[in-house]
Amino acid sequence: MDGGTLQNARTVEEVFRDFKGRRAGIIKALTTDVAEFFEQCDPEKENLCLYGLPNEQWEVTLPAEEVPPELPEPALGINFARDGMQEKDWLALVAVHSDSWLLSVAHYFGARFGFDKADRKRLFSFINDLPTIFEIVSGSGKKQTKEKSSVSNHSSNKSKSSAKARGSESAKYSKVVQPKDEDDGLEEEDEEEHGDTLCGACGENYASDEFWICCDICEIWFHGKCVKITPARAEHIKQYKCPSCSNKRVRP
């Protein structure tokens, strides 16, 4: 159910790696896989939980039967609230509970492996450097980023002008990486401009050697690999909608 518990972990880095894997799985459920997640959370079923797995996958299933469970359990009965509120509010609610669950699992491992005060502080510091799942799902963590984004979009359009000259239509939507041997100064400037930009799917920071694409609806940036868009495919997209915007339903 938990995708393989952390049997041999003894270090802060290993616990944090487990945290990141589970977190990535839950983010995937609430963003790129949101349609499948919505369908699996059938209110007619019994109490269901959303589990993030260490291998960056997710699972909606019944809670553990053993008492006490091997690991802290996530929020119970997330499916019951699915049709009783706006979808975005329901996803945000699941995200908040998922953030709490991830912290409880990480600190459970910390206690189990005898982390001292310094280790616990370092673990929390690692965790705190990442945006919460709630911030990613609700977009609340991107309000400041969006303000930068409006400036960054103008700058990126300038940096992409060379790519447009080469006839790359994808430059309208995605970051085009300047080869290192062309102009190291431009690359460093681009890294500084977008260093605080976070991927709307995985929550990781911008890196100049990765392909990115921006949603024309919510204006959130994504790794191409996270939303399964390649530079070649982006050339043929006139208006890009991220999975979350594409799957938004009009609630009655």
Side-chain angles (χ1 to χ4, degrees):
M1 181 178 296
D2 65 354
T5 55
L6 203 62
Q7 297 293 339
N8 300 315
R10 292 293 184 274
T11 68
V12 170
E13 288 74 18
E14 288 171 313
V15 172
F16 180 59
R17 192 179 308 123
D18 179 87
F19 175 92
K20 285 184 67 177
R22 295 177 190 275
R23 173 180 172 276
I26 295 175
I27 290 173
K28 188 182 297 183
L30 301 181
T31 56
T32 56
D33 295 348
V34 68
E36 182 183 352
F37 172 67
F38 187 93
E39 184 178 350
Q40 288 193 26
C41 291
D42 185 350
E44 299 300 319
K45 294 182 179 179
E46 297 183 46
N47 293 305
L48 294 175
C49 300
L50 171 61
Y51 291 87
L53 310 181
N55 61 359
E56 301 188 4
Q57 299 302 310
W58 58 274
E59 181 181 17
V60 171
T61 188
L62 296 171
E65 294 182 1
E66 63 266 26
V67 178
E70 184 178 1
L71 290 178
E73 286 290 299
L76 182 67
I78 57 171
N79 50 317
F80 296 146
R82 191 194 74 176
D83 294 341
M85 56 202 306
Q86 292 287 327
E87 181 179 332
K88 65 177 182 179
D89 295 331
W90 175 65
L91 292 173
L93 179 65
V94 175
V96 167
H97 283 291
S98 297
D99 282 321
S100 300
W101 176 66
L102 287 174
L103 283 172
S104 68
V105 171
H107 285 285
Y108 163 79
F109 282 131
R112 177 178 167 185
F113 301 138
F115 287 0
D116 59 18
K117 181 178 179 180
D119 287 336
R120 292 194 302 271
K121 184 176 181 179
R122 194 154 63 94
L123 174 60
F124 182 75
S125 177
F126 286 158
I127 292 172
N128 203 41
D129 283 339
L130 297 174
T132 65
I133 298 175
F134 173 77
E135 288 172 339
I136 291 172
V137 171
S138 68
S140 63
K142 295 189 174 59
K143 288 181 180 177
Q144 294 182 353
T145 305
K146 278 188 178 180
E147 292 177 1
K148 283 185 184 177
S149 203
S150 62
V151 176
S152 295
N153 284 339
H154 291 299
S155 324
S156 61
N157 284 338
K158 291 178 183 177
S159 67
K160 294 171 202 168
S161 60
S162 60
K164 287 182 181 178
R166 292 195 297 269
S168 175
E169 188 68 16
S170 63
K172 292 180 182 177
Y173 314 106
S174 57
K175 290 194 183 297
V176 177
V177 180
Q178 294 285 349
K180 291 185 179 180
D181 56 354
E182 281 187 15
D183 195 332
D184 289 341
L186 281 177
E187 183 180 338
E188 289 175 6
E189 182 181 341
D190 187 58
E191 189 78 47
E192 289 176 5
E193 287 175 358
H194 303 289
D196 292 333
T197 302
L198 303 175
C199 173
C202 69
E204 298 294 334
N205 289 84
Y206 166 76
S208 62
D209 59 348
E210 296 177 305
F211 171 74
W212 283 59
I213 188 165
C214 182
C215 175
D216 287 302
I217 306 303
C218 63
E219 297 183 352
I220 293 175
W221 289 84
F222 298 86
H223 289 110
K225 64 184 180 183
C226 290
V227 290
K228 300 178 181 177
I229 298 291
T230 63
R233 184 178 172 189
E235 291 181 9
H236 305 287
I237 299 175
K238 293 183 179 179
Q239 183 186 55
Y240 174 66
K241 286 186 181 181
C242 68
S244 181
C245 290
S246 297
N247 288 307
K248 280 183 179 174
R249 298 172 178 80
V250 178
R251 308 290 296 175

